[in-house]
Amino acid sequence: MKTKSDYIRYISLALIFLVAGILIYQTYPNIAKFKYTYVVDKPWEYDALTAPYAFEILKSKEELKKEQDSLLKDFLPFYRNVSEIPSKYINILNNNFGKVDGTPADEYKKYITRKLNAIYASGIISVEELDKLSDAEKKEINVLTGNVAKAVPVSSLYTTKSAYEHIINNAPMQLDRMTLQGYNINNYLHENISYDEEKTASVKKEKLKSISLTKGFIQSGEKIIDHGEIVKQQTYDILNSLKSVTQENSGKKDATLIHIGQILIIINVLCALFLYFLLFRRTYLLAPKNVALILSIIVILCILTSLAVKNEVTPNLIPYALLPILVTCFFDTRTALFSHLAAILLASFVVPNGFEFLLMQTIVGMISICTLKNIYMRSQLVQSALFIIITYSAVYASYTLVHENGVETFDWKMPFLFLVNGLLLLFAYPLIYIVEKLFGYVSDVTLVELANTNNPLLRQFSEEAPGSFQHSMQVSNLASDAARSIGANPMLVRTGALYHDIGKMANPAFFTENQSSVNPHSEMADEEKSAQIIIRHVADGIAIAKKNSLPEKIQEFIMTHHGKSKTKYFYYTMKNKYPDREIDEEKFTYPGPLPSSKEMAILVMCDAVEAASRSLKEYTDKSINDLVEKIINEQVSEGIFNETPITFKEINTIKSVLKGKLTTIYHTRIVYPELNKK
């Protein structure tokens, strides 16, 4: 029966896929994709091409730019003479001087007024605009007074600074310079020539209209190029013109069909990805964040691809291998490969040369997965990046040889682009950390750090409960080998095993491995209370783990390493001691939950077997074999692995590994002879 949380999860998954599909659709072009790809000075790979209809040959961007630059070389920008400025500031001057007729101040007023009129007539321009004209090497400008434009030499214009200097430096001898400066002439100087952007743009636009956008005409049925013929610049321009006209026509006539096709492509790819999760990785669907992470990376790669194509940047710079690296790090290699294929299939409908793109990115994705199946160190990422750079270069070179029959047209800039791509892959390391924090995952890199016995928590564990720590070390070694034998994650189970008993630090003396001669349980003589103390080490372990911010995956090992088993020693003692009393089994039973992954199941087996092996009176092949079989078979019969996706074959493999390891650990040593004394 479906619960409310199940329906919430289904709705969340549907929304995640819907949003991803919409975002990917937004990256697709609004026009049909031209079915031919071609490069200047490289062979035409298709059959002979004839014009399907008549069209004009468009000039290239470079040709148009050259003609525009030539046409605008002598173009004079437009500036407007603000006629209100001179009268405004001369009036201010008159008001400041007041009635000074016949006085010495009258001479200064007349001189300043005369100069201001002359300077404003020439024009005052801002320093910034003057610098722009100088940089553009403009000798003249058009100055608009009303609707009348007049060409004015730039050299005749003033700035407020040069106007002030002109007035001071050209004063008559009878005027005292210091007195003249005291009249604050700067207060009457202001720019009256301002740039008229609208008029300049309008006239420039009209002027550019005279440039023809075409340079020829192709008749319907006219041959454009033969198979194997080298694409010369002229042919390249013709093909570009055909592409432009074809896309324009398809956009007008079949825009709806194009959009429907794009939507169907996205739906097909995303449905294939969903079916993979549903059939092979159903557990990933239990947490929508798993799907959200994978689809987020796919969407980001599609957006980057679209931006690169729109800005005429080669998609080879985009580190698509980041997707399989990140997915491998947090999930598994099969999911990484499937996700990578989905991403490059979606992106291939945006890039110009789809087949070359698919070939290159598929192989690169495979190599990245193979070289980074388990990432424990930074050096592994560097090595993987190096392999990917080599793979890019090798695939590009081989593709060039196959399609162009030689190295003459080999683009030697491509290896440099592949090098940049490889360097960008090194950002995977900080991205792993960011994803861990955002989504609550645990990478192998983090597991390696946690498994370091110099870790403060493990060091505290070894000091406060040395016997339990040694037991955890032994269990971690057994568990990692067992995990490796069935294809589980050895680093995860090793780390989980190291921390599974940290709760014993709360009461170390109550566990036999930490006792020397005194057993507190004997003094208590209360089986129920003793059982509760033993059981409580699980809850204590979770509390310690949360206090030290251990990842949830490690906390799961602490919670499940006893499942819902009983503390059999105290339970059987109680039963034997009080055969007629009804005993509450719950007080002798661990709270669980049951292990839900192969790694957790392995820890349950290894923990019980290692602890029991210490009580063997003799270590023979038979005694070890019987011990392993007895303990694990009991766990199976008690249903401890009912919620674990583990097979009987895998359980038997784990048994074999444990028997072999315990036999090696407890092998019989030879007795060295004593030296006879003479």
Side-chain angles (χ1 to χ4, degrees), residues 326-339:
L326 290 174
V327 176
T328 299
C329 190
F330 296 113
F331 300 101
D332 60 85
T333 53
R334 185 189 289 188
T335 303
L337 181 59
F338 212 93
S339 302

Side-chain angles (χ1 to χ4, degrees), residues 316-386:
N316 290 321
L317 279 174
I318 301 173
Y320 294 94
L322 275 175
L323 172 58
I325 289 173
L326 290 174
V327 176
T328 299
C329 190
F330 296 113
F331 300 101
D332 60 85
T333 53
R334 185 189 289 188
T335 303
L337 181 59
F338 212 93
S339 302
H340 181 66
L341 290 175
I344 61 175
L345 282 171
L346 290 168
S348 67
F349 285 90
V350 180
V351 299
N353 195 342
F355 176 74
E356 180 183 355
F357 173 82
L358 277 175
L359 174 68
M360 189 175 295
Q361 300 304 334
T362 301
I363 297 175
V364 165
M366 292 178 178
I367 293 297
S368 65
I369 292 170
C370 293
T371 55
L372 274 179
K373 183 178 179 181
N374 299 108
I375 176 171
Y376 298 135
M377 298 177 292
R378 296 182 184 90
S379 59
Q380 290 177 279
L381 195 58
V382 176
Q383 292 172 4
S384 180
L386 181 61

Side-chain angles (χ1 to χ4, degrees), residues 55-66:
F55 62 92
E56 292 180 309
I57 304 172
L58 301 173
K59 292 178 181 177
S60 66
K61 291 181 180 179
E62 292 75 17
E63 289 175 318
L64 287 173
K65 182 71 167 56
K66 186 176 180 180

Side-chain angles (χ1 to χ4, degrees), residues 596-608:
S596 58
S597 70
K598 291 181 181 180
E599 289 80 8
M600 293 180 201
I602 290 169
L603 177 59
V604 171
M605 297 182 215
C606 295
D607 181 38

Side-chain angles (χ1 to χ4, degrees), residues 38-92:
Y38 46 91
V39 181
V40 178
D41 294 330
K42 291 191 177 182
W44 178 253
E45 302 174 358
Y46 310 95
D47 294 334
L49 178 65
T50 57
Y53 35 71
F55 62 92
E56 292 180 309
I57 304 172
L58 301 173
K59 292 178 181 177
S60 66
K61 291 181 180 179
E62 292 75 17
E63 289 175 318
L64 287 173
K65 182 71 167 56
K66 186 176 180 180
E67 289 187 29
Q68 290 171 354
D69 291 344
S70 176
L71 186 65
L72 296 176
K73 185 178 181 181
D74 299 324
F75 176 77
L76 301 182
F78 284 80
Y79 287 75
R80 187 163 293 279
N81 184 353
V82 185
S83 56
E84 297 83 4
I85 295 293
S87 57
K88 174 184 176 181
Y89 286 95
I90 290 175
N91 285 336
I92 293 173

Side-chain angles (χ1 to χ4, degrees), residues 457 460 499-507 535-552 554-559 561:
L457 182 56
Q460 180 187 355
Y499 289 92
H500 80 282
D501 268 346
I502 57 173
K504 292 181 178 180
M505 285 192 290
N507 294 292
I535 291 170
R536 198 166 63 232
H537 86 274
V538 173
D540 290 337
I542 295 298
I544 293 171
K546 288 181 177 178
K547 182 180 178 181
N548 288 271
S549 302
L550 289 183
E552 287 185 11
I554 304 303
Q555 294 183 33
E556 288 173 353
F557 283 95
I558 299 172
M559 287 189 289
H561 75 276

Side-chain angles (χ1 to χ4, degrees), residues 431-598:
L431 280 176
I432 289 171
Y433 177 79
I434 293 171
V435 171
E436 280 186 318
K437 297 304 178 186
L438 289 177
F439 290 85
Y441 293 128
V442 182
S443 68
D444 287 338
V445 177
T446 300
L447 291 175
V448 170
E449 293 173 354
L450 290 173
N452 186 345
T453 53
N454 287 320
N455 182 293
L457 182 56
L458 289 181
R459 195 163 60 245
Q460 180 187 355
F461 186 23
S462 67
E463 292 170 356
E464 296 183 8
S468 298
F469 177 74
Q470 290 302 320
H471 160 71
S472 297
M473 290 282 288
Q474 289 279 40
V475 172
S476 70
N477 291 330
L478 293 173
S480 59
D481 286 339
R484 202 172 287 109
S485 69
I486 65 168
N489 189 334
M491 198 66 236
L492 175 60
V493 72
R494 175 182 178 81
T495 309
L498 285 172
Y499 289 92
H500 80 282
D501 268 346
I502 57 173
K504 292 181 178 180
M505 285 192 290
N507 294 292
F510 283 87
F511 299 89
T512 55
E513 65 266 26
N514 299 312
Q515 296 168 0
S516 53
S517 57
V518 179
N519 186 346
H521 295 290
S522 301
E523 299 176 2
M524 289 170 53
D526 186 336
E527 287 76 13
E528 282 189 3
K529 189 173 182 181
S530 293
Q532 287 300 304
I533 292 173
I534 297 299
I535 291 170
R536 198 166 63 232
H537 86 274
V538 173
D540 290 337
I542 295 298
I544 293 171
K546 288 181 177 178
K547 182 180 178 181
N548 288 271
S549 302
L550 289 183
E552 287 185 11
K553 273 195 174 183
I554 304 303
Q555 294 183 33
E556 288 173 353
F557 283 95
I558 299 172
M559 287 189 289
T560 62
H561 75 276
H562 284 294
K564 293 184 178 181
S565 61
K566 292 183 176 63
T567 52
K568 292 180 180 177
Y569 177 86
F570 296 108
Y571 178 67
Y572 291 158
T573 301
M574 187 77 169
K575 290 278 285 185
N576 293 332
K577 191 173 180 180
Y578 305 103
D580 299 327
R581 183 188 297 182
E582 186 175 344
I583 298 172
D584 186 0
E585 294 188 10
E586 289 296 322
K587 293 184 178 180
F588 295 88
T589 305
Y590 285 96
L594 296 176
S596 58
S597 70
K598 291 181 181 180

